[in-house]
Amino acid sequence: QVQLVESGGGLVQAGGSLRLSCAASGTIFSINAMGWYRQPPGKLRELVARITSDGSTNYADSVKGRFTISRDNAKNTVYLQMNSLKPEDTAVYYCNAVIQTHRSSVMFMYWGQGTQVTVSS
């Protein structure tokens, strides 16, 4: 059983900052890529940022230069530092991780429950 638990969401004024965390727990042999997605009200879920096991990153164009993704492999945790927040960043943010639970098992993608980020103008 694997769980991803997010924290750090909340209400912030435009121009402010928030840091999201997502910790994976349970039966984990290895974690490949980890990432953050978001779903604005009435819209589809979209990729925000992604980081591989060797630290390579990619970002949505809309957040480049403002958001930074990082991970602590010892803690099975991924972070999203969000600076210069805009009202259009308002969404439910979800973390995901591609996890192998045992040496012989296949990789599977797991999702967190989501955390609300609201940016007021």
Side-chain angles (χ1 to χ4, degrees):
Q1 194 93 7
V2 173
Q3 280 190 317
L4 299 182
V5 179
E6 299 125 333
S7 60
L11 173 64
V12 64
Q13 287 189 329
S17 298
L18 283 174
R19 188 190 193 213
L20 305 183
S21 300
C22 173
S25 63
T27 304
I28 298 172
F29 176 74
S30 67
I31 301 179
N32 195 334
M34 304 183 83
W36 289 95
Y37 288 70
R38 67 185 181 188
Q39 187 164 13
K43 296 185 178 181
L44 297 176
R45 193 174 298 188
E46 60 184 13
L47 174 69
V48 176
R50 182 176 178 270
I51 184 168
T52 63
S53 56
D54 63 359
S56 298
T57 59
N58 62 286
Y59 296 90
D61 288 343
S62 59
V63 306
K64 282 181 181 177
R66 300 188 298 122
F67 291 10
T68 302
I69 189 170
S70 61
R71 64 191 283 174
D72 184 333
N73 291 330
K75 296 182 179 180
N76 292 336
T77 299
V78 62
Y79 306 95
L80 185 68
Q81 178 66 43
M82 305 185 293
N83 299 328
S84 302
L85 282 160
K86 304 175 181 180
E88 51 264 44
D89 294 319
T90 295
V92 178
Y93 283 69
Y94 298 89
C95 75
N96 81 344
V98 179
I99 295 174
Q100 186 180 19
T101 55
H102 298 85
R103 181 185 298 273
S104 59
S105 67
V106 298
M107 292 277 187
F108 190 80
M109 183 176 287
Y110 294 85
W111 291 89
Q113 79 286 355
T115 185
Q116 177 70 46
V117 171
T118 303
V119 184
S120 62
S121 57

